[in-house]
Amino acid sequence: MSNQDSLDSFEFSIYPNPVSRGQLNINVQGVDADTYTIYNLLGQTVRSGTFNSTLDVSNLDAGVYMIEVTVGTTSMNKRFIKQ
């Protein structure tokens, strides 16, 4: 598999879900993640940037959010709940 093929898809997990203490852990398997964007359910960007393995989401209101993780030109989304 070439390096480009490995970026066509990737797996990532987030935990804990729901988030109750303000720290969202992100585990991207096999590659280093570049950026993230958090959207509310209206599709509005509420936060974005680069990350290592944890994000402080304590400043987000309680609710349901989507997080988009981008590696190279490939993006994947997951839903999480902030309590």
Side-chain angles (χ1 to χ4, degrees), residues 10-13 26-34 51-52 69 71:
F10 61 92
E11 293 291 325
F12 80 98
S13 60
I26 304 171
N27 180 21
V28 181
Q29 298 176 354
V31 292
D32 292 328
D34 291 333
F51 69 94
N52 47 27
V69 171
V71 175

Side-chain angles (χ1 to χ4, degrees), residues 15-28:
Y15 60 94
N17 193 7
V19 180
S20 59
R21 296 192 182 251
Q23 292 293 325
L24 179 66
N25 298 296
I26 304 171
N27 180 21
V28 181

Side-chain angles (χ1 to χ4, degrees), residues 61-81:
D61 292 334
V64 179
Y65 296 89
M66 293 295 295
I67 183 166
E68 177 181 75
V69 171
T70 303
V71 175
T73 59
T74 304
S75 298
M76 295 187 73
N77 299 298
K78 290 202 183 282
R79 181 179 68 113
F80 74 94
I81 299 168

Side-chain angles (χ1 to χ4, degrees), residues 28-40:
V28 181
Q29 298 176 354
V31 292
D32 292 328
D34 291 333
T35 61
Y36 74 93
T37 305
I38 297 175
Y39 301 96
N40 62 21

